[in-house]
Amino acid sequence: MKGLLSAADLNAHEIESILDVAEEMHTIQQRPVKKLPALRGRTIVNLFFEDSTRTRTSFEIAGKWLSADTINVSAKGSSVSKGESMRDTMMTLDSMGVDAFVIRHSSSGAVAQAASWVKAQCINAGDGQHEHPTQALLDAFAMRQHFRTLGEGGSFAGKRIAIVGDLLHSRVVRSNVLLQRTLGGKVTLVAPPTLLPMGVDTWGCEVSSDFDAVLDEADIVMMLRVQRERMSGGFFPTAREYAASYGLTEERFARLSPTVGICHPGPMNRGVEISSAAADAINSLVLDQVSAGVAVRMSVLYHLLGGADEEGQL
Ligand code: CP
């Protein structure tokens, strides 16, 4: 693998290898001493031009547990705040001998652009409304664990995954659709017409505005955050009306079978797209997703920098 910009960069074999190695990393995560020497001497810069809790922290932990030197750079506190361009910042850091950049940016396509300026490998940690490939990988990891817990094996073939909410502004949905296209999951997208991305009919998924009808058929329900910070206009009348039609309310949650896994990439707007009853339920995978984030990012870093062979052996 050379960098990771899009979920579409990965074939089925590569996805399986990342998820399988992540399982080994996940067992290490449960140990009292979590260090592995795999990336000793490697340097990873987490370069975040946009806020993050889960992604930045889990990449930092992942790098540290693999014994890499990890450095966090955010726009605030760097020379970007003095007007330095992203290109100059990237090329400056690259000249220091960095092995990999983990980059988040508010503009779609910014990470691919950055990758063209540097020798180091680049991992897309979320670019605007475009993609968030490691989120889709950790979602797949948590879902696969859930299916196995139910005794259904680890295959996604034919599994019905409903992704619900603010699809227009979501990079998570794009990466999940691309990853599930490769894995064989059957994705149905649910949103009000105002929050459907242009061209969604070409994504190869079913699209619905009737959450209740989709809910009864789903194996996984993934709720997406209403991204108010990216909204300039009135995409729906009020948060209360949005929740009534598209939220996983207490009433909808009560209808769900406990075998249905509930996902949310976070951060959550409780009471808008998801009720606390659903977020904190026994079949909620929200914290499993967070935990998977460290293991999957360890696996991605290991595949990119650690000399994993064809089968991803440690
Ligand atoms: N899911 C996710 O990307 O969360 P953060 O914005 O906290 O990284």
Side-chain angles (χ1 to χ4, degrees):
M1 278 168 60
K2 170 80 173 78
L4 180 58
L5 303 180
S6 164
D9 294 344
L10 300 169
N11 61 34
H13 176 76
E14 288 165 332
I15 297 168
E16 291 296 330
S17 178
I18 289 169
L19 297 184
D20 289 346
V21 171
E23 269 179 35
E24 295 183 53
M25 300 300 183
H26 206 242
T27 62
I28 290 159
Q29 208 175 344
Q30 320 303 323
R31 290 185 197 161
V33 177
K34 300 172 177 75
K35 280 270 190 206
L36 287 177
L39 298 189
R40 200 162 43 204
R42 300 297 209 149
T43 303
I44 301 165
V45 170
N46 293 326
L47 188 52
F48 278 63
F49 295 92
E50 191 191 83
D51 293 344
S52 165
T53 297
R54 280 147 283 267
T55 312
R56 181 164 57 182
T57 310
S58 59
F59 263 115
E60 184 177 358
I61 291 173
K64 283 184 162 42
W65 285 356
L66 291 170
S67 303
D69 295 307
T70 58
I71 291 109
N72 291 316
V73 179
S74 57
K76 281 175 234 148
S78 75
S79 290
V80 172
S81 65
K82 299 179 198 163
E84 186 170 61
S85 70
M86 183 179 176
R87 184 171 185 269
D88 283 337
T89 300
M90 296 289 311
M91 290 172 67
T92 298
L93 295 170
D94 196 48
S95 302
M96 295 179 188
V98 169
D99 294 297
F101 289 102
V102 176
I103 306 168
R104 171 168 289 190
H105 200 283
S106 58
S107 296
S108 303
V111 182
Q113 178 79 77
S116 72
W117 295 324
V118 295
K119 291 189 288 298
Q121 308 209 47
C122 290
I123 302 172
N124 184 354
D127 62 328
Q129 297 164 210
H130 178 225
E131 277 217 52
H132 195 352
T134 59
Q135 177 71 44
L137 285 163
L138 73 87
D139 293 338
F141 184 94
M143 289 183 225
R144 191 169 84 157
Q145 275 193 321
H146 175 70
F147 298 143
R148 285 187 176 153
T149 305
L150 297 174
E152 296 174 359
S155 170
F156 284 85
K159 287 283 190 282
R160 294 157 302 180
I161 301 164
I163 306 183
V164 186
D166 181 359
L167 308 181
L168 179 63
H169 301 103
S170 176
R171 50 199 176 211
V172 174
V173 70
R174 285 166 178 78
S175 289
N176 264 284
V177 165
L178 291 167
L179 202 79
Q180 288 302 330
R181 190 182 291 171
T182 306
L183 291 176
K186 187 172 174 295
V187 175
T188 301
L189 304 174
V190 184
T194 50
L195 289 174
L196 283 175
M198 210 170 343
V200 71
D201 47 317
T202 65
W203 290 13
C205 311
E206 299 217 351
V207 180
S208 172
S209 54
D210 186 350
F211 186 18
D212 290 301
V214 173
L215 197 61
D216 293 333
E217 304 291 326
D219 297 302
I220 295 286
V221 178
M222 181 183 293
M223 305 306 298
L224 297 180
R225 184 169 69 88
V226 173
Q227 299 194 30
R228 290 173 191 272
E229 76 278 14
R230 296 193 208 272
M231 292 185 188
S232 51
F235 289 89
F236 48 83
T238 63
R240 183 195 283 256
E241 284 173 81
Y242 177 87
S245 297
Y246 294 99
L248 190 52
T249 56
E250 274 190 49
E251 294 72 25
R252 289 198 178 93
F253 167 67
R255 276 175 40 208
L256 272 188
S257 159
T259 61
V260 176
I262 298 167
C263 294
H264 192 305
M268 295 185 281
N269 292 310
R270 288 175 185 254
V272 182
E273 72 267 3
I274 191 164
S275 60
S276 286
D280 302 329
I282 191 85
N283 49 328
S284 167
L285 306 183
V286 172
L287 293 179
D288 300 295
Q289 290 171 272
V290 176
S291 173
V294 178
V296 162
R297 286 165 179 142
M298 286 175 82
S299 177
V300 167
L301 292 172
Y302 179 73
H303 277 79
L304 291 176
L305 299 175
D309 68 18
E310 282 285 289
E311 301 304 320
Q313 294 301 308
L314 291 175

